[in-house]
Amino acid sequence: MPNAALADDDDARSSTRQTNPNTDPDILQLDQTGQRLAGIQTQTLTAVQQTPEFAAYGTVLNPEPLLNIRQQFLAASAQQDSAKARYSEAAQNLNRTRDLHQHDIVSTRRLQEQQAIWQADKANLASNSYQQQLIAANSRLLWGDTLSNWFTKAQDKNAIQLLEHRAQLLQITLPANSQLDPSVNVIHIHERGLRQAALPAILISSAPQVDPVSQGPRYFFKCADCRLPFGTHITAWIPEGGRADSGVTIPQSALIWHLGQAFAFIKTDANHFSRCALNHYSGNSQGYFVADGLPPGAEIVTTGAQTLLSQQLKGLIPDEDKD
């Protein structure tokens, strides 16, 4: 009785052959039985548009310095409220004492004492106001207007989100001599550089200081879905703005590699597959965006592409080398 494994191998070879390999080695013929055994699955490509992106790098920031600014500002604000109340009371007492003095009910010395109290409370109120202004000004030098405004309010939902770890503060550094396009409000980030798993982050503002090493501009972003340790280095994908590129999106499983070149298989008819080189592609949340080489409407192999490549490469081996 013939060996079953040899019989199966003969069946696979009989169902897989090259179609005129001398003229087009990238075409593979595989009948329905062979496709079923290889588990081939396909999907039809649809046209999509994607804005070009470039990579930048950043860090997850600890909001503790902003918390300290918040505490200092709110403490100064409470002191100012107290100083304002004392000044208001002193002003009322001074007016009352002045009226009594005009009617010779209180002495001039008493009026002078009340004027001194009013003057001291006025100076104290001004001092507290200057203290608040100084705290806010120092914050703006480090964090910019938006973050400073968030953290110097008694109740601000954005500041509360960051302090309660329901969102994280990111600092992204762009390459030198570049800037964020004015139309860009959302970027995508990932701590391991995986574009397909990247999370969205919303622009807060530009940072007042550039990177001291690269001299690249810095921007602050807020990521509501991030739960990363403070100090984590992240990769960011920044839309370049302008007109979007047209192309198709393929799943990760459709892309295969051979000799350092990326490929995908297109099913050209019921029994034929064509191997297409992918020279320009970029990762996105669905897989890979391909701007050229794969037309919309084509049927791409999503499962079994590696098996097709193996069978194709076997077919390129001369018969005398198979013995």
Side-chain angles (χ1 to χ4, degrees), residues 35-114:
Q35 293 179 40
R36 187 172 61 257
L37 292 173
I40 302 300
Q41 296 182 17
T42 64
Q43 75 175 43
T44 303
L45 296 176
T46 57
V48 297
Q49 289 192 327
Q50 177 170 292
T51 302
E53 297 176 329
F54 64 92
Y57 302 93
T59 307
V60 179
L61 297 181
N62 187 339
E64 182 179 1
L66 285 164
L67 175 59
N68 293 334
I69 290 172
R70 177 181 177 82
Q71 291 175 332
Q72 294 172 12
F73 187 87
L74 294 181
S77 179
Q79 291 177 355
Q80 187 183 32
D81 290 342
S82 177
K84 187 181 296 184
R86 289 195 300 270
Y87 172 74
S88 178
E89 182 181 4
Q92 292 176 3
N93 290 337
L94 177 60
N95 290 332
R96 186 164 49 251
T97 304
R98 186 179 289 118
D99 290 340
L100 294 173
H101 180 266
Q102 289 175 353
H103 292 85
D104 295 327
I105 299 176
V106 298
S107 65
T108 301
R109 182 176 179 179
R110 175 59 180 164
L111 175 61
Q112 291 173 341
E113 289 176 350
Q114 194 60 52

Side-chain angles (χ1 to χ4, degrees), residues 22-273:
N22 294 327
T23 58
D24 195 348
D26 291 332
I27 299 295
L28 176 71
Q29 180 178 343
L30 186 63
D31 62 23
Q32 296 299 312
T33 300
Q35 293 179 40
R36 187 172 61 257
L37 292 173
I40 302 300
Q41 296 182 17
T42 64
Q43 75 175 43
T44 303
L45 296 176
T46 57
V48 297
Q49 289 192 327
Q50 177 170 292
T51 302
E53 297 176 329
F54 64 92
Y57 302 93
T59 307
V60 179
L61 297 181
N62 187 339
E64 182 179 1
L66 285 164
L67 175 59
N68 293 334
I69 290 172
R70 177 181 177 82
Q71 291 175 332
Q72 294 172 12
F73 187 87
L74 294 181
S77 179
Q79 291 177 355
Q80 187 183 32
D81 290 342
S82 177
K84 187 181 296 184
R86 289 195 300 270
Y87 172 74
S88 178
E89 182 181 4
Q92 292 176 3
N93 290 337
L94 177 60
N95 290 332
R96 186 164 49 251
T97 304
R98 186 179 289 118
D99 290 340
L100 294 173
H101 180 266
Q102 289 175 353
H103 292 85
D104 295 327
I105 299 176
V106 298
S107 65
T108 301
R109 182 176 179 179
R110 175 59 180 164
L111 175 61
Q112 291 173 341
E113 289 176 350
Q114 194 60 52
Q115 287 176 329
I117 294 173
W118 172 81
Q119 194 67 41
D121 287 338
K122 180 181 179 181
N124 187 47
L125 177 61
S127 175
N128 280 279
S129 178
Y130 295 149
Q131 181 68 18
Q132 274 192 307
Q133 294 175 22
L134 180 61
I135 294 171
N138 286 335
S139 178
R140 290 188 177 93
L141 290 176
L142 295 174
W143 301 99
D145 291 341
T146 303
L147 280 172
S148 297
N149 291 337
W150 287 1
F151 281 84
T152 54
K153 290 181 180 178
Q155 294 291 330
D156 185 276
K157 64 178 183 179
N158 295 293
I160 297 301
Q161 281 182 340
L162 294 173
L163 294 176
E164 293 181 350
H165 305 294
R166 290 186 284 112
Q168 288 194 296
L169 179 63
L170 314 177
Q171 180 177 264
I172 305 298
T173 301
L174 271 57
N177 301 318
S178 64
Q179 62 181 2
L180 198 68
D181 188 273
S183 65
V184 174
N185 292 316
V186 178
I187 65 172
H188 288 80
I189 66 98
H190 196 269
E191 71 276 16
R192 296 192 302 277
L194 302 178
R195 180 61 180 87
Q196 293 81 1
L199 298 173
I202 300 173
L203 175 66
I204 297 175
S205 69
S206 60
Q209 301 176 359
V210 300
D211 183 83
V213 177
S214 69
Q215 295 297 297
R218 287 171 162 176
Y219 293 85
F220 295 122
F221 288 84
K222 182 180 71 170
C223 180
D225 299 321
C226 297
R227 298 295 182 271
L228 299 171
F230 299 140
T232 299
H233 293 286
I234 55 177
T235 301
W237 291 270
I238 315 294
E240 294 182 1
R243 188 172 62 184
D245 290 336
S246 297
V248 296
T249 294
I250 66 174
Q252 285 182 279
S253 59
L255 188 142
I256 53 175
W257 289 87
H258 177 57
L259 300 177
Q261 172 68 56
F263 294 93
F265 274 95
I266 293 294
K267 187 173 185 179
T268 56
D269 61 33
N271 296 324
H272 291 87
F273 299 85

